[in-house]
Amino acid sequence: YPGLVRSLHDGDVFIQQRPVQVAYLGALYSAFGVEPLGYHVVNAVVLIAIAVLLYFVVRELGQPRVLAVAVAAVYGLMPNYSSDRFWIAAHQATLSVLFLLVGVLAALHGLRAGRVAASTLTVVAVAALTASGLAYEVTIPLLVLVLGLLVFRTRRLGLLEPGRRVRALSLIGANVATLGALVAFKVETSIRVGVDQPYGDYLGDLVSGTLRVDLGVYGLALPYVLFWIVRHAADAAVLGLGACAAGAVTAYLFKLHRSGLDDPRLGVRFVVGGLATMVFGYAIFLVPTVVSFSSASLGNRIRIGAALGTAAVLVGAVVLIASLARKAALRQAVFAAGVGVLCGAGFIVTNTLARFWVSAYAEQREIVSHLQADVPALTPGSTLIIDGVCLERGGAFIFTGHRDVTGVLTIRYGQLRLTGSAITNPPTLTDRGLFVYTFGAPDFFAYGRKLVIYDAAGRRAHRLVDRKSAEDYFEGSDFRPDTDCPPGFSWRGELPASTSRRDIR
């Protein structure tokens, strides 16, 4: 949070465009300081609330209870947006979806409420949808889908008849104004990181990346992912609890009312609606920017909105498969078991990734502890660059780059006038300083006694006072991040026993 305060003071638009994130993290920092448990408890409560709200939204749209439960359970356990669960810097994404569903539910209820209640619900809907867009921008295009749902429900409820249309049109108009205001705010404050490729190729990568991860890795290839976990990262507790989760979901859904499961049109409806939600969930990226389509790691934080649609697609697919059975009891069993397997698999994958994040956090604490012991003091205005360590462990990051390292230095050394970074790619040396590449544009650090590079593996600190000292350091180092460290985690290969100089997956 001290780093956020400084970023606001320095005019960092990446922070200014998400005021809800700043307020949220500020409140949690006031309550929990730098101890992570409280942050994760709050985020877990938010995720549970999202699943509950999703159930009520699906029910409000007139869908069977058994399908509402299924979509909520699949979404709540799916690993598609795992980094939003574990990475505190991405917790605003879960907050954004929470506010989105609050706004949708309030708006849908407002269509059939009394006059006074409708006015109150309209205010709640507008406030919640505004908070959603100000927390994380990936949900803003979903507001277009929300408007479509409102128009659809308005017609279904006959609210366009004379004498009834004013209230419905007022609610729809308020949401249109909210969408317009959010788009204007984001256009004014956002910086999009451009891409160096033709727009057609960019769109092709966008579509293929979406299908490859959401419906590929965590769809058709899910059995392989589970096999990989059993072979390379098995944990008895995770596997046992995953089996229990699958059994519990299967048993509960089997007992629920099963009308409609014999109609394949219901499955088609969920698949089509889910695909539409996925499209709007990724629509923010139609404006070219650097976007990573990864099944784990930090890149999957962007999928939390689109995953609402992915959950609907998966449930719809299970409905279509179950509808092939001739007997009602068999259809019921196939549907319940199919959704149960999805939930159990999601539980296992998510908690396997969680173990990687726990391990990465332990490594971060060890590195920072060594750093403070080896470099007990830093003069104001110093820059410290961490070298000699692979920064990713099984999709979890020990440090993501300059923002994380600067935040650690700010908190641990108690100074706002410190900057930092990490060697994640080979730096470029010039006569005046060096360029360090982490995310986006490279950071430039001028040589001098205040530029320190810390070899985390050798536990030695060096001052880079000029180009010669920098060249001597890097020539004497046997750490090559481009060859010693993998570019990113994927569900293949072996996991390292520890993350240090020569680690590969």
Side-chain angles (χ1 to χ4, degrees), residues 189-367:
T189 61
S190 295
I191 290 181
R192 308 299 284 175
V193 183
V195 295
D196 186 21
Q197 68 177 136
Y199 187 65
D201 294 343
Y202 171 80
L203 287 182
D205 291 344
L206 188 65
V207 174
S208 65
T210 299
L211 298 177
R212 185 176 65 251
V213 175
D214 290 314
L215 301 179
V217 175
Y218 292 138
L220 296 176
L222 195 54
Y224 168 78
V225 174
L226 293 175
F227 170 77
W228 186 97
I229 290 173
V230 171
R231 183 178 179 185
H232 298 292
D235 180 85
V238 169
L239 295 176
L241 288 172
C244 290
V249 171
T250 299
Y252 186 75
L253 290 178
F254 188 80
K255 287 185 176 181
L256 284 182
H257 183 63
R258 55 192 180 276
S259 65
L261 293 182
D262 56 339
D263 187 354
R265 291 177 298 177
L266 190 60
V268 172
R269 188 186 309 159
F270 270 74
V271 170
V272 172
L275 290 174
T277 304
M278 290 176 65
V279 169
F280 282 101
Y282 287 121
I284 194 74
F285 300 107
L286 291 176
V287 179
T289 190
V290 174
V291 57
S292 172
F293 288 96
S294 56
S295 55
S297 186
L298 304 182
N300 75 1
R301 72 189 187 281
I302 65 173
R303 350 185 75 82
I304 190 166
L308 294 165
T310 307
V313 170
L314 293 175
V315 171
V318 175
V319 171
L320 290 174
I321 294 172
S323 67
L324 298 177
R326 293 185 177 183
K327 296 183 177 181
L330 183 58
R331 286 194 296 270
Q332 179 186 6
V334 170
F335 174 79
V339 174
V341 167
L342 287 175
C343 290
F347 181 96
I348 291 171
V349 175
T350 297
N351 282 279
T352 299
L353 292 172
R355 293 176 61 228
F356 299 159
W357 281 89
V358 171
S359 178
Y361 176 59
E363 182 108 8
Q364 184 192 87
R365 288 172 62 93
E366 181 181 10
I367 292 171

Side-chain angles (χ1 to χ4, degrees), residues 2 10 30 40 43 97 131 155 173 184 196 250 338 372 452-453 459 499:
D10 293 344
S30 299
H40 291 298
N43 196 53
V97 173
R155 297 186 63 179
D196 186 21
T250 299
Q372 285 193 281
V452 179
I453 189 164
R459 295 190 58 179
T499 302

Side-chain angles (χ1 to χ4, degrees), residues 57 316 342 498:
V57 167
L342 287 175
S498 63

Side-chain angles (χ1 to χ4, degrees), residues 49-67:
I50 286 173
V52 173
L53 287 168
L54 181 58
Y55 165 81
F56 284 114
V57 167
V58 177
R59 289 292 286 152
E60 185 67 24
L61 291 173
Q63 302 309 306
R65 182 186 174 196
V66 65
L67 296 184

